[in-house]
């Protein structure tokens, strides 16, 4: 393998993954979260001065600043839709290609399997990063232009939130790739990950119960489980959870490592 | 003496308890067009997948142009396995660009040449989703051609083609052999379509190689071990009676009017003639049957039934 060979593979893999509907959908949805957050703030400021909640105007309870708008864009982006679309793109490019046998074309070539996997992970990671930018640039840029930069939410804090979200996305992509070595259909991967995260939620509730009964270790373990690790970005508002990041490190190493190990030994007919 | 292009030794793959290919020894020499034959389910595709490293093997080894490393050996191979699959939302040309990138060699002119070779030059910018089965089959062959292979491994490449398409593929393979000096392994369950094409054939049955050699060698071997003759007589009842007492001769299939095909095992046509005349059968004609490879193929692969 030469560097030129690897670059060529990355280029065609990018063309393939970005050519899929799921990648375009991810970029469009991300852009909508950025622009939507901005427009929503503008609308509230303009129209809702008269709306009151608990005796005070709503506008006084909402922070109007660029970083605050970006923070809302990030919350909306990470709330369900975009992770699901990223998961779809991941499953389509791995489980889908195994299932419809188009992956075979890459595997009959003089390329080690881990390079095939690596190129997919890099391109999917770049897709995640681009969706973050598509959400960040209009919300932060537009927000600063419209509302300025004054407020309790700071630019560095919200930027860290976006950076941690990239980590969460990479973890999710890793899980999607790993599931693809078990289930050879896009729907199967999505369903199995949803089931996994539901089981994870149940387990965390159980661990919380044990912690409440006195088992000190149980709380920390629960916070390191994948469900909480994938939410590590939520700490940007002020309280980062080190256990979530520890869990994320374990998740990243084990999901990509296990995927590479399984893929190397797998029948891909 | 041509050197070896592809050699397998003891290649074995099991699915659960069932052996799909059993200790397969196969030898393709440089410059061969090798016909890899066998009825459906014989294990041709499984063997090809093992050679290409697509599936795990339970034993044996594969050598391609002397190279043993599974990744490096694929540098000299272009392959099409079963029905080719594509990224259907990309154009045919983009699919070949992918192949080129993964191969790590070749450029736009190689892609154009491959498209020309299979007659798709006019449709290269269309998305593959709009391609017919036959067009996909050709595109699969074109894809095997990019990456400048020395050995082509094609699994039933005429699948889904009409008779004219089949002919075109046959001509293309001959041309690739003659003009480009490629070595070709082509699998088929239809012997007639590779008989005129192949210099050597291997016949696979239930995962085992039952015969391997040049077409002429196999035919010779068939002639010396078992021979079939057509006997003509107006006394077919007498012939049937006489046969019961002639060891090594038995009817091969239904008779046709005054003509009956006999299979000889251990006796020659002359001995048969003498025995029939001694038994009082008026033999009017006794014609040794030359075998087509098709008959040999059927016989070798249905041995347990006969
Ligand atoms: N994934 C699989 N699981 C179980 N059995 C299989 C699998 N793939 C192939 N086989 C079996 O292996 C044998 C050989 O199949 P195959 O290689 O496709 O034959 P051919 O290509 O000669 O028609 C068949 O009996 C088939 O049922
Ligand atoms: Mg087959």
């Amino acid at each position: 393998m030469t560097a030129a060979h690897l670059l060529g593979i990355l280029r065609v893999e990018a063309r393939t993954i970005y050519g899929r509907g799921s990648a375009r959908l991810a970029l469009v949805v991300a852009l909508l979260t950025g622009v939507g957050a901005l427009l929503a703030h503008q609308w509230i400021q303009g129209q809702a001065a008269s709306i009151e909640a608990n005796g005070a105007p709503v506008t006084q309870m909402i922070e109007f600043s660029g970083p605050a708008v970006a923070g809302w864009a990030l919350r909306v982006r990470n709330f369900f839709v975009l992770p699901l679309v990223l998961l779809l793109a991941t499953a389509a490019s791995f489980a889908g290609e195994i299932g419809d046998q188009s992956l075979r074309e890459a595997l009959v070539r003089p390329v080690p399997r881990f390079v095939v996997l690596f190129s997919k992970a890099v391109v999917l990671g770049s897709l995640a990063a681009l969706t973050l930018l598509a959400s960040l640039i209009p919300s932060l840029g537009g927000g600063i232009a419209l509302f300025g930069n004054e407020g309790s939410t700071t630019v560095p804090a919200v930027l860290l939130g976006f950076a941690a979200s990239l980590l969460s996305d990479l973890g999710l992509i890793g899980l999607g790739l790993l599931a693809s070595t078990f289930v050879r259909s896009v729907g199967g991967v999505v369903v199995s990950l949803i089931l996994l995260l539901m089981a994870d939620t149940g387990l965390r509730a159980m661990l919380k119960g044990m912690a409440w009964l006195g088992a000190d270790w149980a709380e920390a373990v629960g916070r390191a489980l994948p469900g909480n690790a994938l939410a590590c970005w939520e700490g940007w508002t002020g309280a980062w959870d080190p256990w979530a990041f520890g869990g994320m490190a374990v998740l990243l190493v084990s999901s990509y490592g296990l995927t590479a190990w399984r893929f190397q030994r797998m029948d891909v007919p | 003496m041509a050197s070896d292009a592809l050699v397998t030794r003891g290649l074995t793959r099991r699915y659960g308890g069932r052996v799909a290919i059993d200790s397969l020894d196969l030898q393709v020499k440089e410059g061969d067009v090798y016909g890899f034959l066998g009825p459906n389910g014989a294990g041709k595709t499984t063997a090809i997948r093992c050679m290409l490293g697509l599936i795990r093997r339970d034993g044996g080894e594969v050598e391609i142009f002397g190279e043993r490393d599974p990744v490096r050996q694929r540098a000299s191979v272009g392959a099409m396995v079963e029905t080719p699959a594509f990224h259907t939302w990309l154009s045919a040309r983009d699919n070949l660009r992918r192949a080129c990138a993964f191969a790590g060699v070749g450029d736009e002119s190689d892609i154009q040449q491959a498209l020309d070779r299979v007659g798709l030059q006019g449709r290269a910018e269309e998305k593959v989703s709009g391609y017919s089965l036959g067009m996909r089959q050709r595109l699969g062959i074109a894809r095997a051609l990019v990456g400048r292979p020395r050995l082509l491994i094609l699994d039933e490449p005429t699948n889904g083609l009409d008779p004219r398409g089949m002919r075109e593929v046959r001509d293309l393979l001959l041309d690739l052999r003659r003009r480009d000096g490629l070595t070709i392994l082509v699998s088929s369950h239809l012997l007639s379509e590779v008989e005129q094409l192949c210099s050597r054939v291997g016949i696979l049955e239930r995962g085992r190689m039952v015969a391997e050699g040049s077409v002429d060698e196999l035919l010779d071997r068939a002639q010396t071990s078992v021979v079939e003759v057509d006997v003509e007589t107006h006394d077919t009842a007498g012939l049937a009676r006489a046969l019961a007492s002639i060891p090594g001769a038995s009817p091969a299939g239904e008779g046709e009017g005054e003509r009956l095909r006999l299979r000889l095992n251990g006796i020659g046509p002359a001995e048969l003639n003498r025995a029939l005349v001694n038994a009082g059968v008026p033999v009017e004609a006794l014609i040794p049957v030359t075998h087509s490879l098709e008959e040999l193929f059927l016989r070798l692969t249905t041995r347990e039934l006969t």
Side-chain angles (χ1 to χ4, degrees):
Chain A
M1 285 289 305
T2 62
H5 193 176
L6 180 61
L7 277 177
I9 291 172
L10 284 170
R11 202 169 54 225
V12 293
E13 200 58 65
R15 198 191 185 102
T16 306
I17 289 177
Y18 282 100
R20 278 199 167 90
S22 49
R24 295 187 182 160
L25 182 65
L27 288 168
V28 169
V29 169
L31 199 63
L32 284 179
T33 63
V35 175
L38 185 67
L39 293 180
H41 277 74
Q42 200 184 18
W43 182 80
I44 291 169
Q45 196 185 41
Q47 300 283 315
S50 55
I51 302 176
E52 297 193 352
N54 297 331
V58 168
T59 42
Q60 282 177 16
M61 298 157 61
I62 294 175
E63 189 188 336
F64 290 94
S65 76
V69 174
W72 279 106
L74 182 63
R75 288 186 190 94
V76 176
R77 174 202 182 272
N78 287 357
F79 179 71
F80 198 65
V81 174
L82 212 78
L84 188 70
V85 181
L86 272 183
L87 189 59
L88 278 177
T90 305
S93 94
F94 201 30
E97 289 195 2
I98 295 172
D100 73 13
Q101 307 192 316
S102 53
L103 187 60
R104 194 161 60 201
E105 169 52 27
L107 302 189
V108 299
R109 299 294 175 178
V111 179
R113 285 194 179 186
F114 72 84
V115 172
V116 174
L117 179 65
F118 173 78
S119 65
K120 288 187 184 299
V122 167
V123 174
L124 288 165
S126 78
L127 173 64
L130 279 184
T131 63
L132 284 165
L133 288 178
S135 184
L136 174 69
I137 291 171
S139 59
L140 186 65
I144 290 176
L146 285 180
F147 311 114
N149 199 6
E150 297 298 307
S152 57
T153 310
T154 65
V155 171
V158 82
L159 287 182
L160 278 178
F162 274 85
S165 289
L166 181 58
L167 216 54
S168 297
D169 290 349
L170 292 178
L172 188 69
I173 291 167
L175 284 176
L177 292 173
L178 180 59
S180 296
T181 66
F182 289 95
V183 197
R184 297 178 180 196
S185 76
V186 177
V189 167
V190 172
V191 169
S192 61
L193 275 197
I194 288 174
L195 289 178
L196 181 86
L197 290 177
M198 278 166 64
D200 179 284
T201 306
L203 191 59
R204 278 187 291 148
M206 210 176 76
L207 286 166
K208 247 186 192 146
M210 288 169 68
W212 184 75
L213 290 173
D216 291 339
W217 55 270
E219 213 228 312
V221 170
R223 276 155 61 191
L225 284 181
N228 198 51
L230 288 174
C232 67
W233 62 275
E234 284 174 358
W236 73 275
T237 47
W240 295 104
D241 183 352
W243 286 101
F245 283 93
M248 178 55 76
V250 174
L251 175 65
L252 287 172
V253 170
S254 57
S255 63
Y256 287 93
L258 212 56
T259 306
W261 188 83
R262 282 184 55 80
F263 186 37
Q264 188 62 39
R265 283 154 189 78
M266 226 167 97
D267 282 356
V268 185
Chain B
M1 190 70 206
S3 58
D4 289 333
L6 167 70
V7 177
T8 73
R9 293 185 204 93
L11 203 59
T12 301
R13 169 67 202 234
R14 284 181 283 271
Y15 283 110
R18 289 206 19 242
V19 182
I21 50 168
D22 189 2
S23 207
L24 186 69
D25 295 329
L26 175 149
Q27 188 190 30
V28 180
K29 291 186 176 300
E30 196 161 4
D32 272 349
V33 178
Y34 184 100
F36 192 36
L37 298 169
N40 281 324
K44 304 178 295 293
T45 301
T46 304
I48 287 172
R49 286 178 175 139
C50 280
M51 293 170 200
L52 294 167
L54 287 170
I55 61 175
R56 175 177 51 76
R57 44 188 186 240
D58 295 310
E61 49 190 51
V62 176
E63 229 177 82
I64 297 177
F65 295 109
E67 176 66 64
R68 281 152 171 273
D69 178 81
V71 173
R72 268 178 303 182
Q73 66 185 196
R74 293 198 294 265
S76 44
V77 179
M80 181 173 88
V81 185
E82 276 193 335
T83 317
F86 299 94
H87 291 89
T88 51
W89 67 94
L90 298 177
S91 69
R93 193 184 298 279
D94 276 345
N95 271 280
L96 296 196
R97 286 192 177 120
R98 270 185 69 85
C100 228
F102 278 99
V105 289
D107 51 29
E108 290 294 321
S109 72
D110 290 275
I111 292 172
Q112 189 57 47
Q113 211 171 33
L115 287 164
D116 292 345
R117 259 348 218 319
V118 299
L120 285 175
Q121 60 278 18
R123 318 279 303 262
E125 317 312 325
E126 292 174 31
K127 288 186 178 182
V128 177
S129 53
Y131 266 36
S132 69
L133 186 61
M135 289 166 76
R136 287 178 195 219
Q137 206 72 15
R138 286 155 197 260
L139 186 59
I141 297 174
R143 187 166 64 178
L145 289 175
V146 304
R148 302 182 188 157
R150 294 166 67 195
L151 169 67
L152 276 187
I153 297 180
L154 303 175
D155 187 14
E156 314 226 9
T158 55
N159 235 345
L161 298 182
D162 55 22
R164 198 178 121 212
M166 286 187 176
R167 232 195 102 121
E168 284 169 2
V169 168
R170 261 201 308 267
D171 292 344
L172 171 64
L173 295 189
L174 280 175
D175 197 44
L176 287 167
R177 156 79 193 83
R178 276 197 292 258
R179 249 177 53 193
D180 305 44
L182 290 184
T183 306
I184 302 171
L185 178 143
V186 53
S187 83
S188 180
H189 66 278
L190 291 175
L191 192 118
S192 51
E193 83 172 18
V194 293
E195 197 174 358
Q196 314 100 299
L197 182 70
C198 296
S199 46
R200 279 161 54 81
V201 295
I203 299 178
L204 196 68
E205 186 211 11
R206 293 185 208 178
R208 291 173 156 272
M209 192 70 96
V210 291
E212 190 185 38
S214 73
V215 173
D216 291 342
E217 265 167 41
L218 290 186
L219 288 177
D220 280 353
R221 199 186 308 169
Q223 295 291 1
T224 51
S225 55
V226 186
V227 167
E228 286 179 353
V229 292
D230 282 342
V231 176
E232 263 180 44
T233 174
H234 57 263
D235 184 10
T236 46
L239 175 61
R241 267 196 311 279
L243 277 182
S245 60
I246 303 174
S250 55
E254 298 291 299
E256 221 183 278
E258 301 198 328
R259 177 179 285 217
L260 182 66
R261 178 159 296 184
L262 301 182
R263 174 163 301 160
L264 304 187
N265 208 340
I267 67 170
E271 280 172 276
L272 173 71
N273 193 30
R274 199 176 315 123
L276 287 177
V277 172
N278 288 344
V281 180
V283 175
E284 272 142 24
L286 192 147
I287 309 144
V289 178
T290 43
H291 289 268
S292 74
L293 199 49
E294 186 81 52
E295 289 168 79
L296 174 67
F297 173 70
L298 284 175
R299 208 162 71 219
L300 285 172
T301 56
T302 53
R303 191 141 50 188
E304 267 154 50
L305 301 175
T306 55

Coordinates of all heavy atoms in Angstrom, one line a residue, chain B residues 15 18 20 38-47 49 82 155-156 204, ligand 1:
Chain B
Y15 N -19.3 -26.0 5.3 CA -20.4 -25.2 5.8 C -21.1 -26.1 6.8 O -21.8 -27.1 6.5 CB -21.4 -24.8 4.8 CG -20.9 -23.6 3.9 CD1 -20.6 -23.8 2.6 CD2 -20.8 -22.4 4.5 CE1 -20.1 -22.8 1.8 CE2 -20.3 -21.3 3.7 CZ -20.0 -21.5 2.4 OH -19.6 -20.5 1.6
R18 N -21.3 -29.9 6.3 CA -21.2 -30.3 4.9 C -20.0 -29.7 4.2 O -19.6 -28.6 4.4 CB -22.5 -29.8 4.1 CG -23.7 -30.6 4.6 CD -24.8 -30.6 3.5 NE -24.3 -30.3 2.2 CZ -24.8 -29.2 1.5 NH1 -25.7 -28.4 2.1 NH2 -24.4 -29.0 0.3
A20 N -18.2 -28.2 1.2 CA -18.6 -27.5 0.0 C -17.5 -27.7 -1.0 O -17.8 -28.0 -2.2 CB -18.9 -26.1 0.2
G38 N -18.7 -27.8 -13.7 CA -19.4 -28.6 -12.7 C -20.8 -28.2 -12.7 O -21.2 -27.0 -13.0
P39 N -21.7 -29.1 -12.3 CA -23.1 -28.8 -12.2 C -23.4 -27.8 -11.1 O -22.5 -27.5 -10.3 CB -23.8 -30.2 -11.9 CG -22.7 -31.0 -11.3 CD -21.4 -30.5 -11.9
N40 N -24.6 -27.3 -11.1 CA -25.0 -26.3 -10.1 C -24.8 -26.9 -8.7 O -25.1 -28.1 -8.5 CB -26.4 -25.9 -10.2 CG -26.6 -24.9 -11.3 OD1 -25.7 -24.0 -11.5 ND2 -27.7 -25.0 -12.1
G41 N -24.2 -26.2 -7.8 CA -24.0 -26.6 -6.5 C -22.7 -27.5 -6.3 O -22.5 -28.0 -5.2
A42 N -21.9 -27.6 -7.3 CA -20.7 -28.4 -7.2 C -19.7 -27.8 -6.3 O -18.8 -28.5 -5.8 CB -20.1 -28.7 -8.6
G43 N -19.7 -26.5 -6.2 CA -18.7 -25.8 -5.4 C -17.8 -24.8 -6.1 O -16.8 -24.4 -5.6
K44 N -18.2 -24.5 -7.4 CA -17.3 -23.6 -8.2 C -17.2 -22.2 -7.6 O -16.1 -21.7 -7.4 CB -17.9 -23.5 -9.6 CG -18.1 -24.8 -10.3 CD -18.7 -24.6 -11.7 CE -20.1 -24.0 -11.7 NZ -21.2 -24.9 -11.1
T45 N -18.3 -21.7 -7.2 CA -18.3 -20.3 -6.6 C -17.6 -20.3 -5.3 O -16.8 -19.4 -5.0 CB -19.8 -19.8 -6.5 OG1 -20.4 -19.8 -7.8 CG2 -19.8 -18.4 -5.9
T46 N -17.9 -21.3 -4.5 CA -17.2 -21.4 -3.2 C -15.7 -21.5 -3.4 O -14.9 -20.8 -2.7 CB -17.7 -22.7 -2.5 OG1 -19.1 -22.6 -2.3 CG2 -17.1 -22.8 -1.1
A47 N -15.2 -22.3 -4.3 CA -13.8 -22.4 -4.6 C -13.2 -21.1 -5.0 O -12.2 -20.6 -4.5 CB -13.5 -23.5 -5.7
R49 N -14.4 -18.1 -4.3 CA -14.4 -17.2 -3.2 C -13.2 -17.5 -2.3 O -12.6 -16.6 -1.7 CB -15.7 -17.3 -2.4 CG -16.9 -16.7 -3.0 CD -18.1 -16.9 -2.2 NE -19.2 -16.2 -2.8 CZ -20.5 -16.7 -2.9 NH1 -20.7 -17.9 -2.4 NH2 -21.4 -15.9 -3.4
E82 N -20.0 -14.6 -9.2 CA -21.5 -14.7 -9.4 C -22.0 -13.4 -10.1 O -21.4 -12.9 -10.9 CB -22.2 -14.9 -8.0 CG -22.2 -16.4 -7.6 CD -23.1 -16.7 -6.5 OE1 -23.3 -15.8 -5.6 OE2 -23.5 -17.8 -6.4
D155 N -16.7 -16.0 -12.9 CA -17.6 -17.0 -12.4 C -18.9 -16.9 -13.2 O -19.7 -16.0 -13.1 CB -17.9 -16.8 -10.9 CG -18.7 -17.9 -10.3 OD1 -18.8 -18.9 -10.9 OD2 -19.2 -17.6 -9.1
E156 N -19.1 -17.9 -14.1 CA -20.3 -17.9 -14.9 C -20.6 -16.6 -15.6 O -21.6 -16.0 -15.4 CB -21.5 -18.5 -14.1 CG -21.2 -19.7 -13.3 CD -22.2 -20.8 -13.4 OE1 -23.1 -20.7 -14.3 OE2 -22.1 -21.8 -12.7
L204 N -15.6 -30.4 -11.6 CA -15.8 -30.5 -10.2 C -17.2 -31.1 -10.0 O -18.1 -30.9 -10.7 CB -15.9 -29.0 -9.7 CG -15.8 -28.8 -8.2 CD1 -14.4 -29.1 -7.7 CD2 -16.0 -27.3 -7.9
Ligands
LIG1 N1 -23.3 -19.6 2.8 C1 -23.5 -20.9 2.6 N2 -24.0 -21.7 3.6 C2 -24.2 -23.0 3.5 N3 -24.0 -23.7 2.4 C3 -23.5 -23.0 1.3 C4 -23.2 -21.6 1.4 N4 -22.7 -21.2 0.2 C5 -22.7 -22.4 -0.6 N5 -23.1 -23.4 0.1 C6 -23.2 -24.8 -0.4 O1 -22.0 -25.2 -1.0 C7 -22.2 -25.9 -2.2 C8 -21.5 -25.3 -3.3 O2 -22.2 -24.1 -3.7 P1 -21.6 -23.2 -4.9 O3 -20.2 -23.0 -4.6 O4 -22.5 -22.0 -4.9 O5 -21.8 -24.1 -6.2 P2 -21.7 -23.7 -7.7 O6 -21.1 -22.3 -7.8 O7 -20.8 -24.7 -8.3 O8 -23.1 -23.8 -8.3 C9 -23.7 -26.0 -2.4 O9 -24.2 -27.3 -1.9 C10 -24.3 -24.9 -1.5 O10 -25.5 -25.2 -1.0

